[in-house]
Amino acid sequence: MQTARFFIGQIVRHRIFPFRGVIFDVDPEFDNTEEWYLSIPEEVRPRKDQPFYHLLAENAETEYVAYVSEQNLVEDETGQPVRHPHVEEIFDGPVEGAYRLKGQHRN
């Protein structure tokens, strides 16, 4: 098992597909359904033995929750906030390109 490269509150974007989001949870390795995993085309299917991130995500048309492998994420450098409607429920910010968990969500 490897250490996560990205952190909760960080704004990231997908390496291939046109969406970005803020990380709200991290799984140390794949922890979704086999059906979900097999729905990814084999030629772009990520390895399971890496961190996977839960994102409050957005693209040009909508906002949603995404589950993305570490290999498919890069840091978002736009400096723009994420417009997902649940961001304000969980986070404060952004400040210097990242969000901070609100007090009631910290462990």
Side-chain angles (χ1 to χ4, degrees), residues 85-100:
H86 296 302
V87 168
E88 291 182 4
E89 296 172 19
I90 301 172
F91 296 105
D92 289 322
V95 175
E96 297 179 7
Y99 287 91
R100 185 168 179 210

Side-chain angles (χ1 to χ4, degrees), residues 28-94:
E29 58 186 22
F30 180 79
D31 191 24
N32 205 332
T33 67
E34 194 65 17
E35 179 183 17
W36 181 91
Y37 186 74
L38 294 175
S39 73
I40 301 168
E42 191 171 352
E43 63 274 7
V44 295
R45 194 176 297 152
R47 298 180 336 272
K48 289 183 177 182
D49 64 342
Q50 64 181 311
F52 276 73
Y53 299 83
H54 300 261
L55 307 180
L56 296 176
E58 66 184 25
N59 62 26
E61 293 83 39
T62 191
E63 298 83 33
Y64 52 96
V65 173
Y67 191 65
V68 186
S69 64
E70 185 168 273
Q71 75 186 59
N72 284 320
L73 290 177
V74 294
E75 184 176 351
D76 180 86
E77 297 176 348
T78 65
Q80 298 298 310
V82 175
R83 69 175 189 272
H84 194 286
H86 296 302
V87 168
E88 291 182 4
E89 296 172 19
I90 301 172
F91 296 105
D92 289 322

Side-chain angles (χ1 to χ4, degrees), residues 5-36:
R5 191 171 113 204
F6 302 106
F7 57 88
I8 292 174
Q10 188 171 7
I11 302 171
V12 293
R13 65 180 173 81
H14 197 282
R15 185 175 59 82
I16 300 168
F17 300 112
F19 71 88
R20 60 193 288 272
V22 59
I23 297 168
F24 70 91
D25 197 9
V26 182
D27 294 334
E29 58 186 22
F30 180 79
D31 191 24
N32 205 332
T33 67
E34 194 65 17
E35 179 183 17
W36 181 91

